[in-house]
Amino acid sequence: MENFTHFDKNGNAIMVDVSQKEETLREAIAKGSIVVSREVIKKIKYGTMEKGDVLGVARVAGIMAAKKTFELIPMCHVLLLTKCSIEFRIIEETNTIEAECLVRTKGKTGVEMEALTGVSTALLTIYDMCKAVDKSMVIKEMYLEKKTGGKSGEYRREEN
């Protein structure tokens, strides 16, 4: 088990010790989408959803979740995020809402999980706020688009 960073010599799950790592600027972008009904798209676009500003609430929820990733994913470190933003794009032709979460820090470990947690929570919040109108919504295509910083350097997702 010595070759695995998240296990001790007895096979117990541990948090990786990053105390000897150098602090670098780290950034991650995660993306995802939710397919909704035409009625949901219209209600979001015109601000007529009964629960209020769907994308505004989803944005705040995603940012809050990114900041609490260490409380949700057992081996994630507590990170001081220096930036977190969530952007949405409505694609009316396919009744799709795309979400993108950007997270940045200067630290000893990356922010990929924070970006993924942010985008997933934003999409779940859209579902929650719109489920009275459409329970058939589908969350899909959630992925890490890009990450920079750290020992492994830059990663950019290639289209399949």
Side-chain angles (χ1 to χ4, degrees):
M1 288 282 170
E2 292 176 30
N3 294 333
F4 296 104
T5 58
H6 285 74
F7 296 97
D8 68 12
K9 63 183 178 183
N10 299 316
N12 298 309
I14 60 167
M15 178 186 277
V16 174
D17 182 358
V18 296
S19 57
Q20 300 302 314
K21 291 176 85 176
E22 234 180 273
E23 281 195 359
T24 62
L25 182 62
R26 296 160 184 269
E27 183 176 287
I29 298 172
K31 293 183 177 181
S33 62
I34 185 168
V35 179
V36 302
S37 67
R38 184 167 309 285
E39 182 181 4
V40 167
I41 288 287
K42 286 181 180 176
K43 285 182 174 287
I44 289 173
K45 186 176 176 183
Y46 297 110
T48 59
M49 190 64 71
E50 284 185 25
K51 288 190 174 183
D53 177 8
V54 173
L55 300 184
V57 173
R59 179 176 289 110
V60 172
I63 292 168
M64 289 175 65
K67 292 169 31 175
K68 292 179 168 266
T69 299
F70 72 96
E71 294 178 351
L72 301 170
I73 311 295
M75 300 305 166
C76 284
H77 292 83
V78 177
L79 298 178
L80 176 63
L81 303 184
T82 58
K83 178 171 179 61
C84 183
S85 63
I86 309 248
E87 300 299 327
F88 298 102
R89 186 167 75 111
I90 296 174
I91 305 166
E92 291 187 63
E93 300 79 38
T94 58
N95 296 323
T96 302
I97 301 168
E98 292 180 345
E100 177 179 297
C101 179
L102 177 144
V103 179
R104 190 178 298 140
T105 193
K106 186 167 186 182
K108 297 181 178 204
T109 189
V111 288
E112 298 93 357
M113 293 309 299
E114 286 73 12
L116 287 162
T117 300
V119 79
S120 64
T121 302
L123 294 170
L124 287 168
T125 302
I126 291 170
Y127 188 97
D128 179 53
M129 293 189 71
C130 300
K131 68 183 183 264
V133 175
D134 177 15
K135 288 181 180 35
S136 69
M137 295 174 280
V138 177
I139 295 173
K140 54 196 258 182
E141 299 178 355
M142 195 179 75
Y143 56 91
L144 179 68
E145 174 69 24
K146 177 183 173 186
K147 83 95 180 159
T148 59
K151 188 169 72 173
S152 65
E154 184 168 333
Y155 163 83
R156 182 175 295 276
R157 182 176 184 267
E158 293 182 20
E159 290 296 320
N160 295 332

